[in-house]
Amino acid sequence: MARSDEKAHIERLITEMTLEEKVGQLTMLSGELVQTGPAYAPVTSQAIRQGRVGSLLNLWGSERVREVQRHAVEGSRLKIPLFFCLDVLYGLRTFFPIPFGESCAFDPRLWERTARVAAQECAVEGIDLNFSPMIDVARDPRWGRTVEGPGEDPHVAARFADAKVRGFQTSDMAAEGTVAATAKHLAAYGAVQAGREYAPVDMSERQFHEVYLPPFRAAVQAGVAAIMPAFTDFNGTPMTANAAVLRDIVRRQWGFSGVMISDYSSVAELIAHGVARDKGEAAALALNAGVDIDMMGHDTYFEGLPRALERGLVRLDAIDAAVRRVLQLKAKLGLFEDPYRRCGTPSAIAAVGAQRERKELAWEAACRSLVLLKNDGDVLPLRDAPRAIAVIGPLADAKGEAAALVEASEGGEKALAIVDGLRAALPQANVAFTAGCGIERIDTAGKERARRLARESDIIVLCVGETLAMSGEAGSRGHPSLPAAQCELARIVLAQKKPVVVLLFSGRPLVLPNWLVEKADALMAAWFPGSEAGRAIGDVLSGRFNPVGRLSMSWPVDVGQIPIFFGMRPTGRPAAANDHYTSKYLDMPNEPRFAFGHGLSYSRFELSGLRVNQSKLRAGETIEVSIDVRNDGPLAGEETLFLFIRDQVSSVTRPLLELKAFEKISLAAGENGTVCFKLAAGDLAFLDHDLAPRLEAGTLEVHVGQSADADGFLSTQIELTT
Ligand code: GLC
């Protein structure tokens, strides 16, 4: 259907629709397959035929979707197709690392490629819209949804947003193998008070505009089809009803013309927030703020909008505008032309890459997500030699489902990712396993088995951490640490005085006991690496893949430091050990345990020769910042470098470090290379006292390093003139 015909078709539908059919298009209900929010009654075919619903979530599978879609396109009066949505954050059939783990790859090309495959898999299973990417900056590991997002930095989150939107949507959402993307959860959801899920968010407008909005701006610039406001209260106005943000910034300033979908029941929750007396007021607040679709709002739009219209709280043209955007989305998805286009058509199936290619991508993504935090005495990589390797711990399946493991350690050999991965990578080694304990409990028998196996082995791979259920939505932890049972297991294993490699499986940086970090010979953050976890971990531990992962979030020593991030503002009394009245704690360091960007390689990279092609930069110009890198071996490897700026004197205080770029370089052992960053004058703008972007003349420090740890910086200065 040509674009002009679609436009006319949409206007014709709006003219013919009853008010009930209009608010039906603004209603999204849940299917019956998965539950991602409070209990609900699944949608009925009758509701679909009556036009009471315009889209569904949590119902997928080509045949099931085809059957349900038929009720809409054949059984309803106007035959408007539904669209179907699901949360696919790290793959549908092929599982990639959790997004937080994938962000540690610092690889926008990889981020786009995995989104492409996820979209192709969705587009043959009846899924038209993906509730992804989640691009909430997170600086508080107590918050469980850290696992879903791209870490602490707005520049990284913006690059992540851009890559994911392009991967899911490409340039034509009606093309084979594409789905609509949803940028969520706008915004500052990661800053919930005390890291507690769904808690209020209260911050300065400056921090909101400098840190939490930029990723969503990037998603809009990449053409994202949908945006999902956060559940949370923001400075006294719940985001679902926040016209100043949703309407005035996102729609009017940024020009976002896509669809805004509320989060699960968050329109109805405006009553619980205390800004609406009833469904009529809640519906009016959300619609007037710019929310087009009420997801699982217990019919708040369906019942509340007609009441609001009668009470003069909303205008019919506002309802029509929302309906128009929903119908435009359906047209962009190609659903008017073919409502079954993502239900397993031969061309859609053909568009899905070969399974072997998808597995290889999952393997590469998993390898790249692993972050080697410590490697004393080069205990890694493990040599392939005839020796005994013990895999001990309740997380050896690398998927965070510990229950199955404890049974396995009673002699039953279940498919254990780490064991299988090591056996494949080190065929000469004798790899044995015991769980040693459960996630939260330990018993004498388990301890004895662990002690004995550790004593009989040459090296131990200790697999500890969280289950998947200990992070994610509603997964805040006041003390995001290792459970006591696992600490006891770790003490037993370390007491055997054998080399110990600790693999941490988690959805966030964990607060670790000092003795564990000090006594472990090697420490690797594995997060949850996905379908190819075993092979990837085996290949990285054995050196077949030289680790490249870097932390996308500062790793705290203690909860007391949270929120901790490299982009803090200066203090008038910078910490000084020998000066009491300076900014520090009496009982813990200021610095994180591991800095943003930290991650070791099996290669030694030497940096030198930082230089700029011009030391003065005027508005509209771009300079090149170059640095030489040498791989001193012993293995070929990939280095990731970060470029930060520091503006020492400005009309507004500027963060101690601002990340402006990151780049990679692959070098053979002994090879030299040069990394070149491009730095545009526009990148150096900051928000002035009125929160307006401003370029200010002055001297800027430029730091390039392997992390935000200043000890490793090479630095220079540039002069910005306006
Ligand atoms: C959940 C989440 C949101 C998700 C939605 C649908 O509550 O907050 O991220 O997309 O509901 O499952």
Side-chain angles (χ1 to χ4, degrees):
M1 187 186 291
R3 194 67 74 199
S4 55
D5 298 347
E6 274 175 358
K7 193 168 167 26
H9 178 59
I10 288 169
E11 293 312 315
R12 202 167 38 249
L13 283 172
I14 291 175
T15 305
E16 291 177 26
M17 289 165 102
T18 64
L19 178 60
E20 187 170 277
E21 286 166 330
K22 289 178 180 177
V23 295
Q25 284 301 311
L26 308 185
T27 298
M28 179 184 284
L29 297 180
S30 200
E32 73 279 15
L33 291 189
V34 290
Q35 183 177 347
T36 57
Y40 56 80
V43 65
T44 64
S45 53
Q46 183 188 13
I48 295 169
R49 284 197 300 275
Q50 289 171 345
R52 295 169 62 100
V53 57
S55 50
L56 295 183
L57 72 145
N58 296 344
L59 183 148
W60 56 286
S62 54
E63 286 320 306
R64 188 78 188 90
V65 167
R66 187 180 289 276
E67 177 192 333
V68 172
Q69 181 71 291
R70 197 170 291 124
H71 292 303
V73 296
E74 295 176 19
S76 74
R77 186 174 79 89
L78 292 172
K79 310 202 180 322
I80 299 172
L82 301 164
F83 66 89
F84 294 81
C85 317
L86 191 68
D87 294 278
V88 180
L89 285 162
Y90 43 92
L92 182 72
R93 297 289 186 197
T94 306
F95 290 107
F96 301 108
I98 52 163
F100 179 67
E102 197 185 6
S103 73
C104 292
F106 285 90
D107 189 339
R109 183 81 192 92
L110 174 73
W111 297 337
E112 183 171 346
R113 290 164 61 207
T114 58
R116 202 78 291 291
V117 166
Q120 290 164 352
E121 293 184 347
C122 287
V124 292
E125 299 272 11
I127 300 162
D128 301 301
L129 180 141
N130 185 4
F131 293 131
S132 179
M134 189 279 212
I135 50 178
D136 296 305
V137 166
R139 295 174 162 181
D140 185 338
R142 293 173 295 184
W143 188 49
R145 302 195 80 163
T146 299
V147 67
E148 298 178 44
E152 77 178 56
D153 181 70
H155 174 80
V156 176
R159 303 272 301 271
F160 190 83
D162 177 77
K164 288 298 181 185
V165 169
R166 295 178 191 283
F168 290 132
Q169 296 184 174
T170 70
S171 53
D172 176 6
M173 280 191 299
E176 294 298 2
T178 62
V179 291
T182 308
K184 71 182 186 182
H185 310 78
L186 188 144
Y189 185 5
V192 285
Q193 283 173 354
R196 193 179 72 253
E197 183 60 286
Y198 312 128
V201 172
D202 199 312
M203 69 173 60
S204 69
E205 285 294 322
R206 173 170 298 284
Q207 184 176 196
F208 184 61
H209 284 262
E210 284 182 350
V211 177
Y212 294 95
L213 280 180
F216 290 90
R217 180 80 184 270
V220 169
Q221 288 168 337
V224 72
I227 286 179
M228 183 186 295
F231 288 114
T232 42
D233 176 285
F234 177 71
N235 291 354
T237 303
M239 204 45 89
T240 304
N242 202 311
V245 176
L246 305 186
R247 184 191 60 206
D248 299 345
I249 295 176
V250 177
R251 288 206 186 279
R252 290 179 182 165
Q253 280 180 34
W254 297 354
F256 176 66
S257 58
V259 170
M260 277 197 194
I261 303 171
S262 83
D263 205 336
Y264 199 108
S265 75
S266 64
V267 176
E269 290 169 10
L270 293 176
I271 298 170
H273 274 291
V275 291
R277 265 186 291 272
D278 55 30
K279 287 187 175 182
E281 287 189 1
L285 282 170
L287 188 86
N288 291 333
V291 176
D292 298 309
I293 291 179
D294 170 21
M295 178 204 294
M296 276 308 288
H298 309 289
D299 284 341
T300 301
Y301 266 21
F302 194 79
E303 294 169 9
L305 281 179
R307 281 186 226 159
L309 196 59
E310 283 162 18
R311 286 149 61 178
L313 299 177
V314 296
R315 295 160 46 95
L316 183 57
D317 62 3
I319 294 175
D320 288 351
V323 173
R324 185 171 291 109
R325 287 190 286 265
V326 172
L327 297 180
Q328 285 168 344
L329 173 61
K330 294 183 178 184
K332 282 179 193 163
L333 284 166
L335 294 174
F336 284 117
E337 279 176 47
D338 177 4
Y340 306 107
R341 66 186 308 114
R342 293 180 181 79
C343 293
T345 58
S347 55
I349 290 169
V352 181
Q355 187 180 28
R356 191 185 52 74
E357 288 166 8
R358 285 178 279 145
K359 276 168 70 79
E360 282 313 294
L361 181 59
W363 167 82
E364 181 188 351
C367 289
R368 290 183 166 277
S369 69
L370 305 176
V371 184
L372 182 56
L373 300 170
K374 178 185 181 189
N375 189 21
D376 281 2
D378 291 340
V379 68
L380 292 176
L382 301 176
R383 289 173 294 101
D384 186 13
R387 56 179 183 161
I389 297 177
V391 175
I392 298 175
L395 269 298
D397 68 344
K399 292 198 297 286
E401 290 143 18
L405 281 178
V406 179
E407 294 142 34
S409 69
E410 316 310 333
E413 268 298 286
K414 292 177 83 74
L416 293 179
I418 310 310
V419 170
D420 300 343
L422 283 171
R423 283 175 177 157
L426 303 167
Q428 295 185 64
N430 169 24
V431 183
F433 164 75
T434 188
C437 69
I439 288 291
E440 307 269 7
R441 61 173 184 75
I442 193 163
D443 59 29
T444 308
K447 284 192 276 190
E448 280 320 303
R449 277 195 295 277
R451 197 190 314 277
R452 188 168 54 249
L453 182 59
R455 200 178 294 140
E456 292 163 0
S457 301
D458 299 309
I459 188 166
I460 296 114
V461 177
L462 180 63
C463 303
V464 290
E466 296 178 321
T467 61
L468 264 172
M470 293 166 75
S471 60
E473 186 174 354
S476 289
R477 295 180 67 203
H479 207 282
S481 59
L482 264 190
Q486 295 183 51
C487 285
E488 189 175 349
L489 177 69
R491 284 187 184 280
I492 290 169
V493 166
L494 289 164
Q496 306 314 311
K497 305 295 181 204
K498 301 287 181 66
V500 177
V501 174
V502 177
L503 293 184
L504 291 168
F505 296 92
S506 67
R508 63 204 349 141
L510 292 176
V511 173
L512 299 171
N514 290 335
W515 55 264
L516 177 65
V517 178
E518 286 154 13
K519 293 184 178 190
D521 298 277
L523 194 60
M524 180 178 284
W527 321 118
F528 295 107
S531 313
E532 295 300 305
R535 183 159 66 106
I537 289 173
D539 287 348
V540 168
L541 293 184
S542 65
R544 291 182 178 191
F545 189 98
N546 191 347
V548 300
R550 299 295 188 78
L551 291 178
S552 61
M553 193 169 176
S554 306
W555 192 298
V557 170
D558 188 289
V559 171
Q561 293 180 315
I562 293 172
I564 184 167
F565 51 97
F566 71 81
M568 290 198 172
R569 287 192 133 74
T571 163
R573 296 190 175 185
N578 56 1
D579 185 341
H580 184 66
Y581 297 99
T582 59
S583 177
K584 58 187 180 300
Y585 301 104
L586 294 178
D587 56 352
M588 64 182 70
N590 290 3
E591 297 72 26
R593 187 178 293 284
F594 302 111
F596 169 92
H598 175 75
L600 303 177
S601 165
Y602 297 145
S603 305
R604 298 279 182 280
F605 292 102
E606 295 303 323
L607 309 182
S608 61
L610 179 65
R611 56 198 179 278
V612 290
N613 65 340
Q614 61 185 69
S615 59
K616 291 190 186 304
L617 181 60
R618 277 187 291 276
E621 289 185 336
T622 296
I623 62 169
E624 290 183 0
V625 182
S626 303
I627 188 166
D628 298 327
V629 186
R630 173 176 172 73
N631 179 354
D632 284 339
L635 296 175
E638 179 185 284
E639 175 67 306
T640 302
L641 295 179
F642 301 91
L643 184 146
F644 301 93
I645 65 160
R646 168 81 174 105
D647 188 348
Q648 289 279 6
V649 180
S650 173
S651 55
V652 169
T653 59
R654 301 284 293 280
L656 292 168
L657 286 176
E658 295 175 62
L659 179 68
K660 294 300 177 186
F662 54 87
E663 294 292 347
K664 289 176 176 292
I665 185 168
S666 292
L667 293 169
E671 186 182 6
N672 295 298
T674 300
V675 170
C676 183
F677 298 92
K678 294 198 183 304
L679 194 56
D683 296 337
L684 305 176
F686 66 97
L687 299 182
D688 67 13
H689 286 292
D690 302 322
L691 298 182
R694 177 194 178 105
L695 269 182
E696 202 166 74
T699 302
L700 290 168
E701 293 172 7
V702 175
H703 304 292
V704 174
Q706 295 164 317
S707 76
D709 181 348
D711 293 346
F713 282 165
L714 273 70
S715 303
T716 184
Q717 288 189 342
I718 56 174
E719 202 67 32
L720 181 60
T721 57
T722 53

